[in-house]
Amino acid sequence: MTFNQEWEQLKKDASDRLQLASAGVTKGDNGRGELRSSRTAWNQASQGVGSVIGIMRSAVGGLTEGQRGAGGGDAAMEGLLSAVTQGSVYRSWQRKIELLHRECDELKGKLEKSGNAFYYTDSAIKDAFTEQQTRPDEKPDTGRPAPGEGGQSRW
Amino acid sequence: MVTFAQLTQLRPAEFGEAADGWHKLSSAASAAKDRVSDDIATQLQKLLIGEGVDAAVVRLRRLAQNFHYVQVESGLVRAALNGLGEELGAAQKKLLDVVAEAEAEKFTIKPDGSVHWVEADPTIPTTPQKSVQGERPVVVIGSDADPKRAKAQEYADRVGAALKEATEVDTRYAQALGRLHADNDLNVSDADWVDAQRDMGTVRTATGSLAEGSIPKDKSPKENAEWWKGLSGDDKADYAALYPASVGALDGIPSDVRDTANRVVLAEKRADYQTQLNAIPAEPWKYQPGSKGNPMATKTTEWVKWDREWAGKKAQLEASLKGMGDIRKRFERDIEPGDDRFPRAYLLGFSPEGRGRAVIANGNPDTADHTAVYVPGTNAGFGNLAHDIKRATTLWTVSDAVSDGGSVSTITWLGYDAPQGAKAAVSSDYANNGAPSLNRFVDGLNASHEAGSPGHLTVTGHSYGTTLIGSAARQGDLNADDIVTLGSPGVQVGRATDLDVPRGHVWNEEASGDPIPEAGRMKHGRTEYHFDTGVDYVTPSNERFGANPMRTDTSGHGSYWDRDSETLLNQARVVVGDYDNVSRRGR
């Protein structure tokens, strides 16, 4: 099943008025079904974040591709103030998107763990999501790296 | 300074290629935002309860905000690069034209921009090479015995002008682009959105080729639609990035385009208004105790001054922000917590100025088989927008349930300044002023509706909203298929056939105990003189008006959206064109 099909199924479950609960809090009377569906909901969310990573990865590929000429690969561009500025703007966004990627990774992992009962209680899930692991990269030269340094992206 | 060598060797298309890359990022960020917010966060919230899921949703919504911000800012970079490429290309063309012309006449232009020629005078044996440069005192033609020198000077000047133009373009765009650096954190603050709004202004000013003036104004929705269809993909994206408020307001262009544009305006205006509200000084102590000679407590001068300067502005900002919050809550689909699923919202109109305008669709009307436009009445506005959003979502839920598979879109149309309070509602002005906008909006829906489905369209109105509907039909053409009037005080015209829809397609409900039809008819009903009964003020509730009277089982002026009621079900049946199953009064 594709993500969309799975999602449709999930939405259908929801409209069947399945009242679900996350770990620790239950609502309704079918405890087992709830637990299974709760796992599905978390895992679908985790996969959803995974698909977002995919969307962004391909876009960043396109962005980098477009930088070949204007980004300094062309001698005539190098002396243009606007082209140089664009290159610097590009690197700043690369860093920002890198940060968003790490945030996605963190959330994807925690959503999955929530579905797999890694956290024992609801409040443990809360603590996990409240704890901010992803932090901006504060290396002094990450914003505008020297040529040859800033080209690596995890996307 | 851009040099001759740079400008001749430059490939402006490379800016276009870079712009395409930014476009990919902008589109992907937009898709990522929708997925994180609509598919992931909202669904989790709907399926699970608990503090764990709440904490997860907070993180996910912040992530979605980040993607929205990336969408907006990278759209601005794209627009700037497209403009830059175009303008540098124009300067380059001027330069290359000069070079071509000069070479055709045996002049040579050197990399420093100087123009050289060889005196082909047979009497001079050494044929010396001569040269001139631009930006030197221009040689006056006529006083110079050498016509070639004058010609060369002209070329040199043109070279100089092209380089100067390129330098100006380069500097201007460098400044604009420099504003668009990303920050390095995960928090999208109000200040970030305020900056984004300012950045948009900077890029607009820098971008010479894409002027706001070329966006159609006061044209018919059909003409708007044609204009949009005629634009290149780049231009569409750039107009939406640079002029989201104008694009979002354009009746006739695709609903998803308007929605994307208006969501940007909403994000920026909300931050802007919140920032303004935060800047208002705190309300000072209002009263001071009386003194011996004057025992009455009086208002402090500080408070009086504050009240005069700030109270009105504060109230207005607060009401606007409340409305914007309601729209955002609808985006998150929790306007009614724990309720059924809603389709995606489309923000088809948005402006917080004045009393505020908002047009919010549940489901895309461009692809819907059945669309209902709900016109709210007295007291509608940003201060209580949730109320009118909820009526349209309620109508959607019931219509969707009886639509027999047809897709439904229901729209809250707060596209006019509604009267505030019963006294104001006596005036016809609000209806008469707002009616042309309704006609344009409905024409816009017809223009943007995609081929392949009939696009059945119903306009429903409540209370004073029905007066506006009548005024729209009276003043112009209201191009709907069905009209539903609820608790109507009168619609300015006296017959259903005056409402522009086919005969038999005006439907009326008057709930028991609703005082408005009786109270309002002398003001908004159609005054008629009859031989037998004397003066009559005709409203849709009158038999001689000729509307189909629908059965109601609710009571009171606000009861038309009561859950599980026949009152609501009958409206839904009209909305989906299931006329046979509408229950009628007196049958």
Side-chain angles (χ1 to χ4, degrees):
Chain A
M1 273 198 290
T2 66
F3 171 80
N4 280 334
Q5 285 169 326
E6 284 176 335
W7 207 250
E8 282 310 312
Q9 182 60 39
L10 203 66
K11 284 199 279 194
K12 194 181 158 298
D13 292 347
S15 64
D16 291 344
R17 297 196 167 276
L18 256 178
Q19 290 292 331
L20 304 172
S22 58
V25 185
T26 54
K27 200 176 168 187
D29 53 13
N30 185 348
R32 288 201 139 201
E34 280 161 19
L35 197 62
R36 195 167 55 237
S37 302
S38 158
R39 186 185 303 149
T40 315
W42 286 114
N43 285 335
Q44 293 287 4
S46 172
Q47 286 166 30
V49 174
S51 78
V52 164
I53 293 174
I55 292 173
M56 292 304 289
R57 179 181 289 130
S58 118
V60 168
L63 177 65
T64 308
E65 182 82 4
Q67 291 295 309
R68 281 191 180 169
D74 192 317
M77 290 287 186
E78 274 174 19
L80 285 182
L81 204 53
S82 52
V84 172
T85 310
Q86 192 275 154
S88 148
V89 169
Y90 162 72
R91 285 187 294 280
S92 77
W93 283 97
Q94 208 180 24
R95 178 183 63 178
K96 168 94 175 188
I97 290 160
E98 177 84 13
L99 175 64
L100 291 176
H101 188 189
R102 285 188 280 123
E103 174 76 352
C104 283
D105 278 344
E106 182 189 333
L107 291 176
K108 182 174 180 288
K110 287 179 176 174
L111 290 164
E112 193 182 350
K113 282 181 182 171
S114 303
N116 293 343
F118 179 87
Y119 309 111
Y120 288 110
T121 63
D122 193 36
S123 83
I125 296 180
K126 182 195 162 197
D127 292 344
F129 283 103
T130 308
E131 188 204 353
Q132 178 73 43
Q133 289 171 337
T134 303
R135 299 202 181 280
D137 193 343
E138 299 291 4
K139 271 190 297 184
D141 56 350
T142 41
R144 297 176 195 191
E149 257 181 43
Q152 297 303 312
S153 169
R154 296 169 64 231
W155 288 92
Chain B
M1 181 80 191
V2 177
T3 65
F4 180 85
Q6 274 172 343
L7 192 55
T8 44
Q9 285 160 27
L10 191 72
R11 279 177 291 155
E14 285 176 354
F15 286 112
E17 285 158 22
D20 286 348
W22 287 98
H23 181 65
K24 285 189 182 116
L25 177 62
S26 183
S27 309
S30 176
K33 175 209 66 166
D34 285 351
R35 183 157 289 187
V36 172
S37 156
D38 297 356
D39 291 346
I40 302 172
T42 302
Q43 291 301 329
L44 260 186
Q45 218 165 14
K46 200 171 292 174
L47 293 166
L48 306 174
I49 54 167
E51 52 180 351
V53 73
D54 289 348
V57 164
V58 167
R59 290 283 288 273
L60 289 165
R61 295 236 179 267
R62 189 185 61 178
L63 182 64
Q65 277 261 320
N66 271 285
F67 283 131
H68 197 199
Y69 188 69
V70 174
Q71 173 209 315
V72 169
E73 291 280 298
S74 49
L76 292 177
V77 179
R78 183 207 54 232
L81 289 177
N82 278 334
L84 172 62
E86 204 168 302
E87 291 195 54
L88 273 184
Q92 186 189 46
K93 185 173 182 305
K94 283 178 190 166
L95 182 65
L96 296 179
D97 284 352
V98 184
V99 171
E101 277 179 49
E103 282 176 354
E105 295 184 42
K106 305 279 187 248
F107 291 94
T108 316
I109 301 180
K110 292 273 167 74
D112 65 354
S114 58
V115 180
H116 298 249
W117 72 94
V118 174
E119 200 65 66
D121 186 342
T123 62
I124 300 172
T126 52
T127 64
Q129 188 176 326
K130 298 183 176 181
S131 73
V132 294
Q133 275 190 307
E135 311 241 320
R136 300 279 165 87
V138 179
V139 180
V140 182
I141 302 172
S143 72
D144 195 320
D146 186 349
K148 281 227 162 180
R149 176 176 293 274
K151 194 78 193 165
Q153 186 67 59
E154 186 200 320
Y155 287 133
D157 290 346
R158 282 169 64 192
V159 167
L163 292 177
K164 199 174 161 194
E165 180 181 324
T167 305
E168 186 277 319
V169 169
D170 183 40
T171 316
R172 174 156 47 92
Y173 278 95
Q175 274 167 1
L177 283 165
R179 297 286 307 262
L180 302 175
H181 281 99
D183 54 16
N184 187 26
D185 60 55
L186 287 166
N187 180 33
V188 185
S189 65
D190 286 345
D192 287 334
W193 282 115
V194 171
D195 276 351
Q197 196 177 1
R198 206 173 300 141
D199 295 346
M200 187 171 74
T202 309
V203 179
R204 270 185 198 175
T205 314
T207 312
S209 53
L210 210 66
E212 188 169 22
S214 44
I215 299 173
K217 225 178 165 187
D218 302 324
K219 291 276 170 62
S220 75
K222 228 178 156 172
E223 288 168 304
N224 294 343
E226 293 300 320
W227 173 76
W228 185 257
K229 276 182 204 148
L231 293 177
S232 70
D234 271 353
D235 283 353
K236 280 179 186 170
D238 290 346
Y239 274 115
L242 294 181
Y243 304 102
S246 305
V247 168
L250 217 49
D251 290 315
I253 71 168
S255 294
D256 55 352
V257 174
R258 296 178 74 173
D259 173 59
T260 306
N262 285 320
R263 283 181 189 232
V264 175
V265 182
L266 172 63
E268 294 180 349
K269 288 290 177 192
R270 200 206 57 76
D272 180 359
Y273 277 44
Q274 186 64 54
T275 309
Q276 287 186 46
L277 182 64
N278 296 346
I280 290 181
E283 185 173 345
W285 199 251
K286 189 170 176 178
Y287 292 106
Q288 56 197 0
S291 59
K292 238 183 182 171
N294 183 9
M296 294 289 284
T298 53
K299 285 173 185 162
T300 62
T301 48
E302 291 83 8
W303 185 85
V304 171
K305 186 165 179 286
W306 180 91
D307 186 56
R308 195 175 53 233
E309 274 179 41
W310 300 108
K313 188 173 185 211
K314 182 164 185 265
Q316 206 255 325
L317 289 170
E318 281 170 346
S320 298
L321 283 163
K322 186 166 181 294
M324 293 190 243
D326 289 342
I327 297 171
R328 297 221 307 182
K329 278 187 197 146
R330 170 59 191 90
F331 288 166
E332 295 171 9
R333 306 188 204 189
D334 61 355
I335 196 105
E336 244 176 325
D339 202 356
D340 307 272
R341 67 199 175 92
F342 296 133
R344 188 184 193 285
Y346 289 79
L347 188 58
L348 301 180
F350 174 76
S351 164
E353 321 298 336
R355 291 204 181 97
R357 302 284 165 85
V359 182
I360 303 139
N362 307 290
N364 187 346
D366 294 353
T367 53
D369 297 315
H370 304 286
T371 299
V373 180
Y374 159 61
V375 183
T378 307
N379 293 341
F382 269 32
N384 61 348
L385 192 54
H387 186 65
D388 286 313
I389 293 175
K390 192 175 153 188
R391 286 177 171 178
T393 53
T394 305
L395 181 62
W396 186 90
T397 308
V398 181
S399 303
D400 181 60
V402 298
S403 73
D404 196 24
S407 55
V408 177
S409 171
T410 62
I411 302 171
T412 297
W413 184 81
L414 180 62
Y416 78 115
D417 280 343
Q420 305 295 308
K423 267 188 187 164
V426 168
S427 165
S428 300
D429 292 351
Y430 302 94
N432 293 342
N433 293 337
S437 305
L438 179 64
N439 285 336
R440 272 199 303 277
F441 178 71
V442 168
D443 286 344
L445 288 179
N446 287 322
S448 63
H449 198 274
E450 288 172 11
S453 110
H456 172 237
L457 201 153
T458 305
V459 176
T460 83
H462 177 238
S463 190
Y464 193 88
T466 68
T467 310
L468 187 142
I469 290 173
S471 182
R474 182 182 60 75
Q475 293 186 57
D477 291 322
L478 180 56
N479 292 310
D481 301 305
D482 282 282
I483 283 175
V484 177
T485 51
L486 309 165
S488 174
V491 295
Q492 299 189 354
V493 297
R495 295 295 178 271
T497 46
D498 294 332
L499 287 179
D500 296 351
V501 291
R503 185 175 287 274
H505 286 268
V506 176
W507 311 79
N508 183 60
E509 285 185 351
E510 181 181 336
S512 74
D514 181 350
I516 297 301
E518 187 54 36
R521 69 194 189 105
M522 286 177 70
K523 195 61 221 168
H524 300 300
R526 169 85 175 177
T527 312
E528 294 180 356
Y529 301 92
H530 294 277
F531 183 71
D532 46 351
T533 52
V535 179
D536 197 0
Y537 304 96
V538 182
T539 76
S541 293
N542 289 72
E543 208 177 321
R544 60 165 56 103
F545 184 86
N548 301 309
M550 299 198 285
R551 212 151 61 195
T552 55
D553 59 352
T554 57
S555 61
H557 190 57
S559 70
Y560 295 93
W561 293 269
D562 284 1
R563 280 299 170 113
D564 303 321
S565 68
E566 198 175 358
T567 308
L568 180 59
L569 187 59
N570 276 333
Q571 293 170 48
R573 286 191 166 129
V574 174
V575 167
V576 302
D578 182 15
Y579 308 120
D580 291 346
N581 284 315
V582 173
S583 61
R584 303 191 191 203
R585 206 168 248 191
R587 289 192 190 183

